[in-house]
Structures are given as C-alpha cells and as structure tokens.
C-alpha cells in the first residue's frame, strides 16, 4: 500500500495526481471466508481492521449492500465524547477516546480529530446537581470533566442566550474538554483502506438475502452475488438489524427509528465547542467549512425512510434558537436522516448469540459514530476469541431479561415517555 | 408531515398526535403463570418490520383517544386507521 505523506503528496502533485493507487480494491466475493462482517459502515470496517491487526485474521469479507460511507457513518453529526456516568459506558467510551487520539497515525489517514470540548448546558439547580454527580463519576473513571458555572459558560460560548427573560436560563454546564469531532467520511475511508491493505475483501453492492444455519451453527450467508461460506458471521448493520434478525427468526430489543441532522450555510468561525441544550434535545457544533452542524430528537415513530419529516426538524431548531438566537438568521443548507437501531435502554449490544458463530453488534441509538473504534476493537475481540471482552461484557443481549439494564439516560425507543 | 385520519375526528395533521408504539404487542394474561421469556417479549422485544406496521397513536391535541394506525415504515403511507377496540381482520 502506498503510504500517505507530504512526500507522496508532492510527488503526485508533480504528475498531476494521475498515479495514486486505489484506496481499496473492488473484489468479487470468494467462496469461503473465516469471518464475514455484514455491514460496511464505520463499525464493520473497524471490526475488520482490528480482526486483521490485533488477531491476525485476514480471511475476512465485509459485505455491504450499498457503498462504503453511504450509511450512518456519513450521516452523523461527528461528535466524539465519553461523558457517561455508568461504568460500562464510561470505560468503553474512554477506551475509544484513546483510539481516536491515535487514529490518524494508526491509519495513516487524517481523520481530522479535533478535541475541542463538549459542553452540556444545565438550566436548573437540580440539573447542576445531576451534572456534578455525573462529572464525579466520570473523574472516578479517569475521564476529564469540569463543572462550569454560568459565568464560565458565558466566557466560552458568549453567543448563547444569557439574557434575563428566557424560558430556560443557563445555570452552568458540564464540560468534557477532551471530547470533540472528527471527519466522519475519513474514518470510514481510513479503516477501509487499511483493512483492504491487510487482505480484507470489501464487497460493495452486495445484499444479504439469507443465512445458512444448521444444527445451531452458522455455515454461511446468501447474498445477491451468490452464497458465501463462513465460519463466523458478525452483524454490524445499525438500522437494518431488525430486517436481518427476522431472516434469522430472532426478535431483538430494538426498534428502528429515524434521526435527522442538518447544516446551515457556512459562516465565519463563531463556535469552537460542541454544545448541547439541557432542557430538550439539541446539539450543535461548527464544521471546518463553517457550517453549523445540528441535530436532536428522533422523528418519534418506527421508520426505515432515511429521510426526515419537518415537524421534528422545526421542534429541534426551535430549541436551537432558544439556546443561540443568532441561528435564526442563518439559511439552512441541507437536512437529511439516518435510520437508528434504538435499543430499549439506550445502550448498545455487542455479544454472541444463541447461534454458534453468529455475533451481534447493534443498538447504538444516537451514539454510534463516537463508538466506532471501541466498537470495532471489542467486536473483533468477541469474534476472534469467541468470548466478550471485559469492556463490552455489560453490553450483553440477555441484560434485558436479567434486569441488568444500562439506563444511562433512560432514552431508548420510547422518547414519548421522557 | 403525516396526515392521520382519526376514526373519531377525521383527517388531522401529525402535530396533533403522539406515538405509542407497536399495537400488536399483547400483555400476558392476568392470573396466569408468566415465564421470563414472555415478559421479555412483552416489555422489550419488537419485530420492527420494514413495511406494514400496526401501531398505536394518541390524538393528544384532539379527542385524546388512543387509535390504531396501519402505516408503511418505509414509505410512510397510511393504509387504514381503527378505533382502539376495533377488531382487525
């Protein structure tokens, strides 16, 4: 594989950029693989990369129905954080933060990781107490957290509404300074390029139509490009999890819902933090191009549409304007939607299943992108060793029947309850 | 914007309604031994189909009645709406 560097850039500039190698190949599926990963999103690509890198398993295929980077890895709001209270989420996400910090060097691909900090705003004394508790829990797990008062927040984000007559005055906030954003497409492309270079077959435009299971053991998959034998199969398909589960006669504690995001026209740098509104569900950051990147609530009803509905967008942006009134002056550039695998407790599932050789990675709700490296790393471990790692032991499938829910915010599919 | 025909009030905008989830889920019978698996299926497990989905909505800013809506989860087409206690063939 061609190494990307300043020298390769100069060399290729001199030849008119005509001689770059393809970042990854476009192979036909082989007859058999040791591991087949279904879903060529961020998590699937990361899983294949860590299977090859950490476990020396390279007879691996990634089966993708569409194209690399076309699903949720290219549709999210690029926020990376580990500001969780519960140990399972905190330790898992902080492990991921370490991988994020090293990712550009590790993948030889600039993922533009920008640890600019995230501020969760508080709008009442009770919320300040809750944030103090969460911040202390984070610090006990070695995650950086700073509780900010109103004046400190004002210094960092003066463009927010600090006037006297607001419905939800800003009391303060909880900041994780090491949180931030990254270029989402670059994460997918970087993982794809490295996985490909280590021998992983990335097979695009290939839809999985069924599974071959006999005597409780996975034997292979059926696809639109023929049958593929596999010793192990990992499911990594986010919002399409229920569709594949149905083909396996499995019913999961997951519903598929639609989440929208939008960007404004680009403006000069105004906001150098990720900020979330504490009295509703709205988050915002500014991209390197200057667009304000915004998102919030689910559309609220089961959906596979991959496109949003205006009432929810209006609701979310109303919160945004309440928090930062200047947003009302901006023109909207683009809005889009992605389909989320919403688990019933709001936390993910990375586990084995009752079918031998079949592994499950789903339930990422609002937070799939930031989990990409940690999810891939632990899922690769779970597949390669046929047992869960301690980092994803809490993300078990049977926690719903045993009552060991990880109800970080209690935000699962039932948003109408919260 | 969805337009939902409330069986009590007629066609109204989505803004008047609140979503209540899968309408095919049945609570286990009272006065009967219920296994963990049955509770698990009732409380957590959902089919979440792509396509026709029978679901509960409440006409919150209208007659406040719960209704059933048969809707396509991929196209958002609404085929039919029912009163909550209406039998569905």
């Amino acid at each position: 594989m061609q190494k990307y560097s300043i020298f390769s850039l100069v060399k290729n500039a001199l030849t008119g950029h005509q001689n770059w190698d393809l970042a990854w190949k476009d192979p036909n599926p082989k007859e058999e693989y040791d591991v087949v990963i279904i879903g060529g999103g961020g998590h699937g690509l990361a899983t294949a990369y860590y299977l090859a890198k950490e476990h020396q398993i390279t007879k691996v295929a990634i089966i993708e129905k569409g194209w690399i980077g076309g699903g949720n890895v290219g549709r999210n709001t690029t926020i990376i954080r580990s500001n969780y209270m519960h140990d399972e989420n905190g330790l898992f996400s902080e492990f991921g933060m370490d991988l994020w910090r090293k990712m550009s060097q590790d993948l030889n691909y600039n993922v533009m990781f920008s640890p600019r900090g995230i501020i969760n705003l508080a709008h009442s004394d009770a919320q300040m107490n809750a944030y103090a508790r969460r911040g202390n829990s984070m610090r006990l797990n070695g995650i950086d957290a700073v509780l900010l008062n109103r004046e400190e927040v004002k210094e960092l984000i003066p463009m927010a509404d600090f006037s006297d007559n607001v419905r939800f005055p800003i009391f303060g906030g909880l900041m994780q300074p090491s949180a931030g954003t990254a270029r989402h497409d670059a994460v997918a492309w970087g993982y794809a390029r490295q996985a490909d270079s280590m021998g992983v077959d990335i097979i695009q435009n290939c839809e999985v139509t069924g599974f071959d299971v006999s005597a409780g053991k996975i034997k292979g998959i059926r696809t639109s490009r023929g049958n593929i034998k596999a010793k192990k199969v990992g499911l990594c398909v986010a919002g399409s999890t229920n569709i594949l589960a149905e083909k396996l006669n499995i019913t999961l504690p997951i519903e598929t819902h639609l989440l929208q995001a939008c960007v404004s026209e680009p403006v000069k740098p105004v906001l150098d933090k990720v900020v979330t509104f504490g009295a509703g569900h709205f988050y915002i950051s500014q991209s390197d191009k200057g667009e304000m990147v915004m998102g919030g609530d689910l559309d609220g009803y089961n959906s596979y549409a991959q496109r949003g509905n205006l009432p929810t967008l209006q609701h979310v942006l109303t919160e945004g304007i309440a928090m930062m009134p200047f947003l009302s002056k901006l023109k909207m550039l683009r809005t889009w939607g992605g389909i989320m695998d919403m688990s019933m407790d709001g936390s993910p599932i990375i586990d084995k299943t009752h079918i031998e050789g079949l592994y499950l990675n789903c339930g990422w709700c609002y937070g799939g992108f930031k989990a990409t490296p940690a999810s891939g790393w632990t899922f690769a471990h779970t597949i390669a060793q046929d047992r869960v790692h301690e980092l994803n032991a809490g993300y078990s499938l049977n926690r719903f029947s045993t009552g060991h829910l990880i109800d970080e915010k209690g935000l699962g599919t039932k948003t109408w309850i919260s | 914007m969805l337009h939902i025909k409330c069986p009590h009030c007629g066609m109204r905008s989505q803004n008047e309604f609140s979503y209540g989830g899968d309408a095919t889920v049945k609570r286990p019978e009272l006065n009967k031994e219920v296994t963990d698996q049955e509770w698990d299926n009732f409380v957590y497990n959902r089919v979440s189909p792509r396509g026709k989905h029978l679901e509960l909505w409440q006409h919150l800013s209208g007659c406040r009645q719960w209704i059933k809506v048969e809707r396509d989860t991929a196209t958002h087409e609404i085929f039919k709406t029912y009163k909550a206690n209406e039998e569905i063939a």
Side-chain angles (χ1 to χ4, degrees):
Chain A
M1 184 185 60
Q2 207 170 16
K3 192 168 155 43
Y4 291 162
S5 69
I6 183 74
F7 304 108
S8 68
L9 186 65
V10 170
K11 189 178 137 209
N12 280 282
L14 296 174
T15 52
H17 294 295
Q18 297 300 306
N19 301 316
W20 287 105
D21 287 349
L22 283 178
W24 58 86
K25 299 178 282 291
D26 186 21
N28 285 315
K30 295 193 189 84
E31 203 169 295
E32 188 176 359
Y33 291 95
D34 289 339
V35 179
V36 165
I37 304 294
I38 304 174
H43 292 216
L45 293 163
T47 304
Y49 169 68
Y50 291 115
L51 275 173
K53 186 182 172 225
E54 304 285 340
H55 305 280
Q56 290 73 49
I57 300 174
T58 54
K59 233 181 127 189
V60 176
I62 294 170
I63 308 293
E64 167 57 44
K65 183 183 165 189
W67 65 94
I68 298 303
N72 290 347
V73 73
R75 292 167 185 260
N76 58 77
T77 46
T78 77
I79 298 166
I80 293 161
R81 60 190 177 84
S82 60
N83 53 356
Y84 287 102
M85 187 173 83
H86 288 300
D87 289 349
E88 293 90 343
N89 290 332
L91 296 171
F92 178 89
S93 304
E94 186 58 17
F95 176 77
M97 292 302 292
D98 274 338
L99 295 175
W100 278 112
R101 289 178 200 115
K102 293 181 278 193
M103 191 181 288
S104 291
Q105 281 72 31
D106 190 28
L107 297 180
N108 178 227
Y109 206 105
N110 185 4
V111 300
M112 298 163 75
F113 177 53
S114 161
R116 59 184 70 180
I118 186 169
I119 302 173
N120 301 134
L121 293 179
H123 308 273
S124 67
D125 281 328
Q127 206 167 15
M128 284 299 284
N129 289 341
Y131 280 177
R133 182 178 176 224
R134 174 147 64 99
N136 285 332
S137 300
M138 288 165 61
R139 292 171 76 134
L140 285 172
N141 280 333
I143 303 163
D144 55 330
V146 185
L147 195 65
L148 306 171
N149 62 29
R150 182 179 160 93
E151 279 64 44
E152 288 164 331
V153 174
K154 194 172 180 178
E155 208 147 284
L156 292 168
I157 49 165
M159 76 298 287
D161 195 347
F162 288 91
S163 57
D164 294 328
N165 285 321
V166 290
R167 175 68 184 84
F168 299 107
I170 294 168
F171 275 54
L174 182 66
M175 179 160 76
Q176 183 190 3
S178 68
T181 61
R183 173 78 200 278
H184 50 5
D185 304 306
V187 175
W189 299 333
Y191 274 123
R193 175 168 163 268
Q194 284 293 344
D196 175 88
S197 79
M198 288 189 282
V200 172
D201 280 357
I202 298 173
I203 299 160
Q204 303 177 73
N205 300 310
C206 180
E207 184 177 359
V208 172
T209 54
F211 295 85
D212 287 323
V213 180
S214 75
K217 203 172 179 317
I218 196 92
K219 300 288 179 192
I221 59 169
R222 279 169 254 153
T223 77
S224 56
R225 292 171 68 177
N227 294 352
I228 301 171
K229 286 189 213 145
K231 295 190 183 78
K232 295 177 175 182
V233 173
L235 247 61
C236 231
V237 294
S240 302
T241 301
N242 288 93
I243 298 174
L244 289 186
E246 208 178 343
K247 296 184 199 298
L248 285 157
N249 289 320
I250 304 176
T251 317
L252 294 171
I254 285 178
E255 273 181 10
T256 295
H257 283 256
L258 189 112
L259 182 63
Q260 295 191 67
C262 56
V263 292
S264 74
E265 61 184 322
V267 288
K268 285 186 177 177
V270 55
L271 179 65
D272 63 355
K273 297 269 180 286
V274 181
V275 184
T276 73
F277 184 54
H281 197 177
F282 173 81
Y283 39 87
I284 185 166
S285 63
Q286 188 169 22
S287 75
D288 294 317
K289 285 183 283 184
E291 303 151 333
M292 308 306 291
V293 186
M294 299 169 280
D297 278 315
L298 297 177
D299 270 22
Y301 42 86
N302 294 42
S303 175
Y304 284 91
Q306 278 194 321
R307 60 187 153 69
N309 211 337
L310 284 175
T312 303
L313 204 57
Q314 184 180 28
H315 169 75
V316 166
L317 292 172
T318 304
E319 295 174 37
I321 291 165
M323 184 174 95
M324 293 182 175
F326 81 95
L327 293 175
S328 68
K329 303 275 195 293
L330 297 180
K331 290 186 183 73
M332 188 67 77
L333 191 66
R334 259 177 307 130
T335 80
W336 65 95
I339 52 174
M340 307 291 121
D341 37 341
M342 301 302 295
S343 69
M344 293 292 161
D345 63 353
S347 297
I349 297 163
I350 306 177
D351 204 355
K352 299 161 66 171
T353 65
H354 69 278
I355 298 168
E356 199 186 328
L358 182 77
Y359 305 85
L360 195 59
N361 180 336
C362 60
W364 290 100
C365 299
Y366 304 91
F369 176 68
K370 65 153 192 302
T372 303
S375 164
W377 196 94
T378 54
F379 197 40
H381 180 280
T382 305
I383 293 171
Q385 312 277 334
D386 194 37
R387 62 186 163 83
V388 295
H389 189 269
E390 62 180 17
L391 282 169
N392 63 314
Y395 294 159
S396 65
L397 180 57
N398 73 357
R399 70 175 185 269
F400 298 91
S401 47
T402 61
H404 294 88
L405 303 189
I406 310 172
D407 50 346
E408 185 74 36
K409 282 181 90 181
L411 275 181
T413 61
K414 297 178 175 60
T415 48
W416 64 90
I417 287 174
S418 65
Chain B
M1 172 86 75
L2 301 180
H3 290 101
I4 301 172
K5 189 178 170 192
C6 172
H8 307 280
C9 313
M11 195 66 90
R12 299 298 174 91
S13 105
Q14 165 196 345
N15 288 338
E16 296 186 13
F17 294 84
S18 166
Y19 185 63
D22 191 334
T24 62
V25 177
K26 283 220 163 58
R27 191 187 191 283
E29 294 281 330
L30 286 171
N31 307 319
K32 203 194 111 206
E33 192 65 26
V34 180
T35 63
D36 286 356
Q37 187 59 51
E38 281 173 294
W39 272 122
D40 208 20
N41 286 339
F42 168 61
V43 180
Y44 297 117
N45 292 336
R46 297 292 179 267
V47 176
S48 190
R50 185 182 199 277
K52 265 191 189 174
H53 187 233
L54 190 68
E55 53 204 20
L56 291 166
W57 289 75
Q58 190 190 9
H59 195 184
L60 199 65
S61 307
C63 62
R64 301 189 64 83
Q65 294 294 310
W66 283 94
I67 61 168
K68 288 178 192 165
V69 176
E70 194 179 41
R71 184 181 59 92
D72 191 305
T73 57
T75 64
H76 295 330
E77 181 182 358
I78 293 175
F79 304 102
K80 212 166 170 212
T81 57
Y82 307 85
K83 291 175 184 168
N85 60 356
E86 215 171 313
E87 280 304 315
I88 295 158

